Amino acid sequence: MTLHERYADAMMKTLSPPLAVLVRGEGCYVWDENGTKYLDFLAGIAVNSLGHAHPDMVAAAQQQIGTLAHISNYFASPSQIELAERLKRLTGAGDAGRVYFCNSGAEANEAAFKLARLNTAGGRRSRILALNDSFHGRTMGALALTGKPLMRAPFEPVPGGVQHIETSIAALERELDDTVAALFLEPVKGEAGVIDLPEGYLRRARELCTQHGVLLIIDEVQTGAGRTGKWFAYEHSNVLPDAVTVAKGIGGGVPIGALVTFGDTSDLFLRGQHGSTFGGNPFVTATSNAVLGVIERDDLVGNAARRGEEIRELIVGMDSPLISEVRGRGLLLGIGLSEPVALKLAAAALVEGLIVNAANEFSIRIAPPLIVGDAELADFDERFRAALARVTSSGLVPATR
Ligand SMILES: *Cc1c(COP(=O)(O)O)cnc(C)c1O
């Protein structure tokens, strides 16, 4: 049996068949079981911030797993404390900030959901607002926040009290009042195809949340850790949230999530109200410290901003009738298509040795490692042009699935 056949027999049917079976990675490239090399412009969906097998990340992970990997939350470790301090500093949460560690984006949002439930003001606040077409994860609470009714439908009832609103300043002004406990939002809707918020949206959300005592909870699971050309995407709007959730890119590949609270919000959770066995263990926090340390040392946030602009120019320069717009910021970009051919285009790219993602039929998402340089950009240019040519000359697109 091939590995693909064994996958089909053994794995739960929750996912589509795999695009390839990967066995090795280095920098911005990965190799499959047949030795085919791919330029990875998805980075495990915005996870592999330092690309693959980065020596500093490998050294830190090896060192920690060979010293002390896991200890339970009855104990603390230096790396856990250091990472909490680092996240307070990088998010701007400052002295009053606090950090809760878990293992994924969904779990970080579960924690934030429970936090929102604690902001009741004596029972007056019962509503939680989230946005249509948002994505916050697959567990029941995160699913309740997710603004995709079709995703929720088979699993109803999900936790109640969440109301999904249209992503407009008018809807914010209409819906935000003293009965709202929290507003959840993604600063760029990644899973929806890299959709930017309307101009001025985040600033207005901040003003209204402050005015009505509503927690502004920003989901930076995909956008955080420098991906958009700032440490956190809310910095582009010069606002601070009351809480931020992070995961994906802060671990560079180890499973980690965190909820960071700002100001008074840090006093909402009381002892015993939340926890996680693995959350913040020495292995993942030491690795995450190494990842964030390299991002700081090598100014990869600046690199994300610069390379993002260059990639945007490359895409615009392709001058393809298939491409209608480029969305997003830094190294989280959405390529809007004029025809519903994103799956075909992503498949054609794979044949050309390039990994990109069809977020939906009209959107290609790219999220390369933050370490991309001139060589990878030139390689992307060549391979994506070739993929576009395959699709525009149509009928030539080989089915890879
Ligand atoms: C990926 C993602 C999540 C879920 O993270 P998991 O680690 O898959 O649970 C939540 N929110 C956003 C914005 C995401 O992109």
Side-chain angles (χ1 to χ4, degrees):
M1 285 214 291
T2 67
L3 284 165
H4 283 271
E5 286 163 348
R6 286 165 57 194
Y7 179 101
D9 272 1
M11 293 286 290
M12 195 71 67
K13 293 186 266 182
T14 51
L15 302 168
S16 320
L19 298 167
V21 178
L22 301 178
V23 296
R24 185 168 81 82
E26 193 182 323
C28 299
Y29 292 87
V30 290
W31 284 262
D32 72 12
E33 51 174 331
N34 306 312
T36 305
K37 179 182 179 183
Y38 302 90
L39 175 63
D40 184 4
F41 261 41
L42 187 57
I45 317 185
V47 168
N48 304 106
S49 304
L50 305 184
H52 301 276
H54 190 285
D56 295 274
M57 181 175 165
V58 172
Q62 280 177 343
Q63 154 69 24
Q64 190 62 51
I65 210 162
T67 307
L68 187 67
H70 180 81
I71 52 177
S72 94
N73 290 309
Y74 288 114
F75 301 95
S77 70
S79 61
Q80 173 195 59
I81 296 163
E82 184 186 332
L83 184 61
E85 289 169 348
R86 192 189 289 268
L87 286 174
K88 282 174 61 166
R89 171 167 59 82
L90 295 175
T91 55
D95 288 345
R98 288 187 183 277
V99 178
Y100 164 79
F101 287 118
C102 51
N103 315 287
S104 67
E107 274 180 84
N109 286 323
E110 290 289 335
F113 196 154
K114 285 175 76 171
L115 180 84
R117 285 279 204 254
L118 296 174
N119 184 35
T120 60
R124 264 188 301 117
R125 302 181 185 279
S126 55
R127 299 160 66 213
I128 291 174
L129 302 183
L131 304 186
N132 288 340
D133 225 23
S134 59
F135 181 79
H136 298 290
R138 302 285 202 153
T139 53
M140 287 304 233
L143 193 57
L145 296 168
T146 291
K148 301 180 191 231
L150 288 177
M151 216 181 246
R152 285 198 306 272
F155 306 104
E156 297 283 0
V158 295
V162 181
Q163 180 191 345
H164 291 93
I165 63 173
E166 170 196 292
T167 311
S168 68
I169 290 178
L172 275 183
E173 291 176 341
R174 199 165 53 236
E175 297 294 346
L176 270 173
D177 60 27
D178 296 355
T179 67
V180 178
L183 169 67
F184 277 82
L185 54 83
E186 295 162 89
V188 178
K189 288 182 194 164
E191 297 302 303
V194 190
I195 309 292
D196 301 291
L197 290 175
E199 190 63 43
Y201 187 92
L202 216 44
R203 293 192 73 86
R204 190 68 184 124
R206 177 67 279 175
E207 279 168 14
L208 288 167
C209 284
T210 301
Q211 185 185 332
H212 294 291
V214 175
L215 300 183
L216 175 59
I217 300 179
I218 301 189
D219 179 345
E220 294 258 6
V221 167
Q222 191 156 158
T223 47
R227 176 137 303 271
T228 68
K230 298 270 188 197
W231 269 102
F232 295 93
Y234 51 75
E235 292 170 47
H236 293 290
S237 307
N238 265 311
V239 303
L240 289 178
D242 298 298
V244 57
T245 55
V246 294
K248 295 196 167 99
I250 64 164
V254 292
I256 184 169
L259 167 69
V260 185
T261 52
F262 293 54
D264 295 346
T265 311
S266 299
D267 299 323
L268 284 173
F269 267 126
L270 301 179
R271 189 166 300 167
Q273 288 189 322
H274 203 43
S276 156
T277 295
F278 292 121
N281 85 16
F283 171 61
V284 294
T285 51
T287 310
S288 174
N289 269 319
V291 170
L292 298 180
V294 171
I295 296 176
E296 289 197 88
R297 182 194 73 196
D298 296 350
D299 186 26
L300 296 181
V301 181
N303 194 57
R306 284 188 298 278
R307 299 304 183 175
E309 278 315 302
E310 289 172 23
I311 293 172
R312 180 186 293 271
E313 279 163 29
L314 287 180
I315 295 167
V316 171
M318 290 174 193
D319 206 23
S320 165
L322 262 186
I323 297 176
S324 54
E325 61 175 351
V326 186
R327 301 182 294 262
R329 258 185 149 132
L331 292 175
L332 182 61
L333 296 174
I335 306 172
L337 304 179
S338 54
E339 308 270 345
V341 294
L343 276 170
K344 274 190 186 173
L345 184 53
L350 202 66
V351 171
E352 295 295 340
L354 170 66
I355 297 173
V356 296
N357 167 246
N360 57 54
E361 270 297 30
F362 282 99
S363 308
I364 292 287
R365 170 174 48 176
I366 65 171
L370 307 186
I371 57 170
V372 281
D374 289 339
E376 288 84 8
L377 262 60
D379 205 3
F380 167 77
D381 191 36
E382 188 178 316
R383 293 179 197 227
F384 198 61
R385 279 176 189 272
L388 282 166
R390 275 180 187 270
V391 172
T392 26
S393 59
S394 159
L396 291 176
V397 188
T400 58
R401 294 201 181 194

